[in-house]
Amino acid sequence: MENTKEVKKENKMGTVPVPKLIITMSLPAIISMTILALYNVVDSIFIGNYSQKGLTALSLVYPLQLLLISVSVGTAVGVNSLVSRKLGEKEFEQANNAATHGLVTCLFSYLLFLILGIFAVKPFMNLFSSDAQTVSYGVDYLRIVLCLSVFSIIQVMIEKTLQATGNMIYPMLFQILGAVVNIIFDPLLIFGIGIFPEMGVTGAAIATVLGQFCGMLFAVIILFRKSHEIKITFKGFKLKGSVLKQIYAVGFPSIIMQSIGAIMMLGLNAIFTAADSAVSVTVLGVYYKLQSFVFMPCFGLNQGILPVLGYNYGARNKKRVYSTLKCGITIAVLIMLIGVILMWSIPDKLISMFGGDDSLMRVGVPAFRIISLCFVPAAVSIIMITLFQAVGKGFWGMFISFARQLVVLLPAAYILSVTVGVDAVWYAFPIAELMSLIVALFFLIKIVKGDFKKLN
């Protein structure tokens, strides 16, 4: 027993040099998040070459997919934060209990999306399109993805739970398996290759869910068959409101923070629809699929540094907290600069992957270049929000996201659309990101002068 405790005291998050630790912790997550971006991008590329109306439908349904991701990832972030802090405080039984509670919350999340999948998808599509074919494509895709979302919800929870212990390799493998299955079956089921029937948009949804099921199955096997620093057991388990409160103290703000993105996209789609610019709706959807290759690596980076920040904050190690923050910001900015270069140098080639016509090029090329101006300030904000989540200040991150996307971006987009024109709406993105960075810096100063004074 003493040997076990000694091993746990030497957790690498408190001993390994920070730059090396961040790279080893984040690289698998960056790879897995980049692979995760393939889920949506591959679907859209194949569907764009299959049917432009199908591509528009996928753009319209994306906000509800974002909502699904927001709830599953946001809840799991709350579990990740709590588990990593308890490990840092050497409260190992409490860490186990938090991880078990996290798996139970998957049921709550799934029931929400099962109800949406059964009752809400058709009314939702009718709000944004009067084209019968586009509506039909969207309903078919959403109903399958939402009603079978339990696979992705469980997989995400297991990934974040293992990441809280410093294990980044298995979560990466879960993502790789799911993405590979999705990529293999997408063309087979969409176009009807070989023995497979031509299923179009429905085939894309089935391929996505099939990939998620395989990833979840692998995750469950690893969680319960391999030895980890945390152990999930339902023997004698009792659901405790106090533990759920701690999970959602960080998780709920994270859910709201990410859900705001879905609300923002709904608002932008409404602005474009009012301006009778269906092509702008498609451009927005294509942009969000492509920008995921830039933002997803940054989100992978924050997955790697979140448990490091949480562990060292719990261990009251100020030097390692600051070092992790600085290193994270540097790497995030470098990732985003790559995105800016690509958006400015080859936007036409990026759009052409989706089978875009001349109208899509005319609107999309300048839009991509304008929006990419927000990438670098966004990199800094993402890492700061990760810091707030790691130290239990999740509501600060929620406030930043709320201010950026609803208080600034949507009003700015609307004002630009009615005063300058619909093509100026894209400038709302860099305007909003600069404002959010200012707010994030304000909160950083506040935490440095407050909670960080208690660290050693």
Side-chain angles (χ1 to χ4, degrees), residues 283-294:
V283 167
L284 181 66
V286 170
Y287 161 74
Y288 265 96
K289 302 301 171 66
L290 287 173
Q291 64 97 38
S292 64
F293 279 105
V294 183

PDB file of all heavy atoms in Angstrom, residues 283-294:
ATOM      1  N   VAL A 283     -21.436  28.819 -47.242  1.00  0.00           N
ATOM      2  CA  VAL A 283     -20.058  29.251 -46.972  1.00  0.00           C
ATOM      3  C   VAL A 283     -19.754  29.153 -45.477  1.00  0.00           C
ATOM      4  O   VAL A 283     -18.682  28.680 -45.072  1.00  0.00           O
ATOM      5  CB  VAL A 283     -19.817  30.693 -47.466  1.00  0.00           C
ATOM      6  CG1 VAL A 283     -18.508  31.249 -46.900  1.00  0.00           C
ATOM      7  CG2 VAL A 283     -19.781  30.723 -48.981  1.00  0.00           C
ATOM      8  N   LEU A 284     -20.703  29.605 -44.645  1.00  0.00           N
ATOM      9  CA  LEU A 284     -20.509  29.535 -43.195  1.00  0.00           C
ATOM     10  C   LEU A 284     -20.317  28.090 -42.745  1.00  0.00           C
ATOM     11  O   LEU A 284     -19.439  27.791 -41.933  1.00  0.00           O
ATOM     12  CB  LEU A 284     -21.704  30.156 -42.470  1.00  0.00           C
ATOM     13  CG  LEU A 284     -21.627  30.186 -40.943  1.00  0.00           C
ATOM     14  CD1 LEU A 284     -20.497  31.105 -40.481  1.00  0.00           C
ATOM     15  CD2 LEU A 284     -22.961  30.650 -40.343  1.00  0.00           C
ATOM     16  N   GLY A 285     -21.134  27.190 -43.278  1.00  0.00           N
ATOM     17  CA  GLY A 285     -21.009  25.782 -42.918  1.00  0.00           C
ATOM     18  C   GLY A 285     -19.682  25.190 -43.364  1.00  0.00           C
ATOM     19  O   GLY A 285     -19.029  24.460 -42.608  1.00  0.00           O
ATOM     20  N   VAL A 286     -19.269  25.514 -44.591  1.00  0.00           N
ATOM     21  CA  VAL A 286     -17.984  25.015 -45.102  1.00  0.00           C
ATOM     22  C   VAL A 286     -16.834  25.574 -44.271  1.00  0.00           C
ATOM     23  O   VAL A 286     -15.885  24.854 -43.934  1.00  0.00           O
ATOM     24  CB  VAL A 286     -17.814  25.394 -46.592  1.00  0.00           C
ATOM     25  CG1 VAL A 286     -16.388  25.109 -47.056  1.00  0.00           C
ATOM     26  CG2 VAL A 286     -18.808  24.632 -47.459  1.00  0.00           C
ATOM     27  N   TYR A 287     -16.913  26.872 -43.941  1.00  0.00           N
ATOM     28  CA  TYR A 287     -15.861  27.485 -43.123  1.00  0.00           C
ATOM     29  C   TYR A 287     -15.713  26.752 -41.793  1.00  0.00           C
ATOM     30  O   TYR A 287     -14.590  26.444 -41.366  1.00  0.00           O
ATOM     31  CB  TYR A 287     -16.151  28.961 -42.862  1.00  0.00           C
ATOM     32  CG  TYR A 287     -15.378  29.493 -41.679  1.00  0.00           C
ATOM     33  CD1 TYR A 287     -14.016  29.740 -41.767  1.00  0.00           C
ATOM     34  CD2 TYR A 287     -16.005  29.684 -40.442  1.00  0.00           C
ATOM     35  CE1 TYR A 287     -13.288  30.182 -40.666  1.00  0.00           C
ATOM     36  CE2 TYR A 287     -15.287  30.120 -39.343  1.00  0.00           C
ATOM     37  CZ  TYR A 287     -13.937  30.371 -39.458  1.00  0.00           C
ATOM     38  OH  TYR A 287     -13.230  30.790 -38.367  1.00  0.00           O
ATOM     39  N   TYR A 288     -16.830  26.478 -41.113  1.00  0.00           N
ATOM     40  CA  TYR A 288     -16.743  25.840 -39.807  1.00  0.00           C
ATOM     41  C   TYR A 288     -16.183  24.422 -39.901  1.00  0.00           C
ATOM     42  O   TYR A 288     -15.537  23.947 -38.959  1.00  0.00           O
ATOM     43  CB  TYR A 288     -18.102  25.853 -39.102  1.00  0.00           C
ATOM     44  CG  TYR A 288     -18.223  27.036 -38.182  1.00  0.00           C
ATOM     45  CD1 TYR A 288     -18.842  28.197 -38.605  1.00  0.00           C
ATOM     46  CD2 TYR A 288     -17.668  27.020 -36.906  1.00  0.00           C
ATOM     47  CE1 TYR A 288     -18.922  29.315 -37.776  1.00  0.00           C
ATOM     48  CE2 TYR A 288     -17.748  28.118 -36.079  1.00  0.00           C
ATOM     49  CZ  TYR A 288     -18.377  29.261 -36.512  1.00  0.00           C
ATOM     50  OH  TYR A 288     -18.422  30.357 -35.697  1.00  0.00           O
ATOM     51  N   LYS A 289     -16.430  23.754 -41.009  1.00  0.00           N
ATOM     52  CA  LYS A 289     -15.831  22.440 -41.171  1.00  0.00           C
ATOM     53  C   LYS A 289     -14.316  22.565 -41.349  1.00  0.00           C
ATOM     54  O   LYS A 289     -13.543  21.805 -40.767  1.00  0.00           O
ATOM     55  CB  LYS A 289     -16.442  21.715 -42.375  1.00  0.00           C
ATOM     56  CG  LYS A 289     -17.952  21.530 -42.295  1.00  0.00           C
ATOM     57  CD  LYS A 289     -18.385  20.748 -41.084  1.00  0.00           C
ATOM     58  CE  LYS A 289     -19.897  20.764 -40.911  1.00  0.00           C
ATOM     59  NZ  LYS A 289     -20.607  20.061 -41.986  1.00  0.00           N
ATOM     60  N   LEU A 290     -13.877  23.547 -42.150  1.00  0.00           N
ATOM     61  CA  LEU A 290     -12.452  23.710 -42.411  1.00  0.00           C
ATOM     62  C   LEU A 290     -11.701  24.289 -41.216  1.00  0.00           C
ATOM     63  O   LEU A 290     -10.584  23.860 -40.907  1.00  0.00           O
ATOM     64  CB  LEU A 290     -12.251  24.611 -43.639  1.00  0.00           C
ATOM     65  CG  LEU A 290     -12.584  23.968 -44.988  1.00  0.00           C
ATOM     66  CD1 LEU A 290     -12.508  25.008 -46.103  1.00  0.00           C
ATOM     67  CD2 LEU A 290     -11.630  22.819 -45.296  1.00  0.00           C
ATOM     68  N   GLN A 291     -12.304  25.281 -40.534  1.00  0.00           N
ATOM     69  CA  GLN A 291     -11.600  25.885 -39.408  1.00  0.00           C
ATOM     70  C   GLN A 291     -11.410  24.910 -38.251  1.00  0.00           C
ATOM     71  O   GLN A 291     -10.585  25.126 -37.382  1.00  0.00           O
ATOM     72  CB  GLN A 291     -12.340  27.129 -38.922  1.00  0.00           C
ATOM     73  CG  GLN A 291     -13.733  26.885 -38.367  1.00  0.00           C
ATOM     74  CD  GLN A 291     -13.761  26.779 -36.858  1.00  0.00           C
ATOM     75  OE1 GLN A 291     -13.054  27.482 -36.172  1.00  0.00           O
ATOM     76  NE2 GLN A 291     -14.612  25.919 -36.348  1.00  0.00           N
ATOM     77  N   SER A 292     -12.162  23.810 -38.275  1.00  0.00           N
ATOM     78  CA  SER A 292     -11.974  22.807 -37.231  1.00  0.00           C
ATOM     79  C   SER A 292     -10.575  22.203 -37.294  1.00  0.00           C
ATOM     80  O   SER A 292     -10.044  21.747 -36.282  1.00  0.00           O
ATOM     81  CB  SER A 292     -13.034  21.697 -37.340  1.00  0.00           C
ATOM     82  OG  SER A 292     -12.905  20.977 -38.552  1.00  0.00           O
ATOM     83  N   PHE A 293      -9.949  22.217 -38.486  1.00  0.00           N
ATOM     84  CA  PHE A 293      -8.586  21.705 -38.591  1.00  0.00           C
ATOM     85  C   PHE A 293      -7.572  22.637 -37.942  1.00  0.00           C
ATOM     86  O   PHE A 293      -6.430  22.245 -37.701  1.00  0.00           O
ATOM     87  CB  PHE A 293      -8.209  21.487 -40.061  1.00  0.00           C
ATOM     88  CG  PHE A 293      -8.731  20.198 -40.618  1.00  0.00           C
ATOM     89  CD1 PHE A 293      -9.811  20.185 -41.489  1.00  0.00           C
ATOM     90  CD2 PHE A 293      -8.171  18.981 -40.263  1.00  0.00           C
ATOM     91  CE1 PHE A 293     -10.306  19.003 -41.992  1.00  0.00           C
ATOM     92  CE2 PHE A 293      -8.658  17.789 -40.759  1.00  0.00           C
ATOM     93  CZ  PHE A 293      -9.733  17.802 -41.630  1.00  0.00           C
ATOM     94  N   VAL A 294      -7.985  23.869 -37.671  1.00  0.00           N
ATOM     95  CA  VAL A 294      -7.125  24.813 -36.971  1.00  0.00           C
ATOM     96  C   VAL A 294      -7.485  24.863 -35.491  1.00  0.00           C
ATOM     97  O   VAL A 294      -6.615  24.798 -34.614  1.00  0.00           O
ATOM     98  CB  VAL A 294      -7.243  26.226 -37.580  1.00  0.00           C
ATOM     99  CG1 VAL A 294      -6.290  27.193 -36.886  1.00  0.00           C
ATOM    100  CG2 VAL A 294      -6.952  26.183 -39.076  1.00  0.00           C
TER     101      VAL A 294
END
